[in-house]
Amino acid sequence: MVNKSVKKDFLLALVLVIAGAIIFSAWISLSTIGPSLSNGNRAQLKVGDIAPPIRAAGWVNGNPTENNELQGKVIVVDAWATWCGPCRLQAPHMVETYQKFKDQKVVFIGLTTDDEELLPEIRQWLKETGITWPNGYGAFDSLMAFQADTIPQVWVIGIDGKVVWNVDSEPKESLEQGINRALSQIP
């Protein structure tokens, strides 16, 4: 009787481990599509393309699209989601970059497809990551127009409304270098 019980427990444990491995693998592949700002080629809105309008169902930390707040400024658009582990890993770098440029003609905007139902989680995520700039939720249409097929994803938009930098920029340069290049275009 002990042998049957041990075999049964072993089989149950094995099934649970396999199921857990499958779920973990699926989660990893979904959340690590774009784990850093230095990943290789990914299809997206390209450097030189005109950036689409930035729209969201609602905003946390202010609405930057009101009152021409974006006019004459470099815009850094960060695509993220509350469930995205790499987005959380990238957040400290984004906060550090924001601190470097916040007193210049640079506006940071976060966009997520997470909808209003996740507003408590969105607010908590922003608080935990230290992100204080405006973030639009329910921004599915904008992120589709930006061709954000992976997250995290970041674009720098110049004052002419064109994408100046993304992770595929050639020659390879950092986000900070892309922002500086966009700032150098301001008369």
Side-chain angles (χ1 to χ4, degrees), residues 84-99:
C84 172
C87 298
R88 186 173 292 274
L89 293 174
Q90 179 175 289
H93 175 68
M94 293 301 295
V95 170
E96 180 181 314
T97 305
Y98 170 76
Q99 292 299 325

Side-chain angles (χ1 to χ4, degrees), residues 85-160:
C87 298
R88 186 173 292 274
L89 293 174
Q90 179 175 289
H93 175 68
M94 293 301 295
V95 170
E96 180 181 314
T97 305
Y98 170 76
Q99 292 299 325
K100 287 180 186 175
F101 292 100
K102 70 178 182 174
D103 295 327
Q104 299 179 44
K105 292 187 174 214
V106 179
V107 175
F108 279 63
I109 298 173
L111 293 177
T112 181
T113 58
D114 291 351
D115 59 23
E116 188 172 9
E117 293 172 1
L118 293 176
L119 202 47
E121 289 89 345
I122 291 168
R123 286 191 171 112
Q124 184 65 33
W125 194 90
L126 294 173
K127 181 180 177 184
E128 288 172 0
T129 58
I131 292 175
T132 58
W133 53 86
N135 278 266
Y137 56 87
F140 183 79
D141 291 340
S142 283
L143 290 174
M144 290 297 294
F146 270 94
Q147 301 172 29
D149 63 345
T150 62
I151 58 170
Q153 193 70 260
V154 180
W155 301 267
V156 176
I157 303 167
I159 62 168
D160 61 357

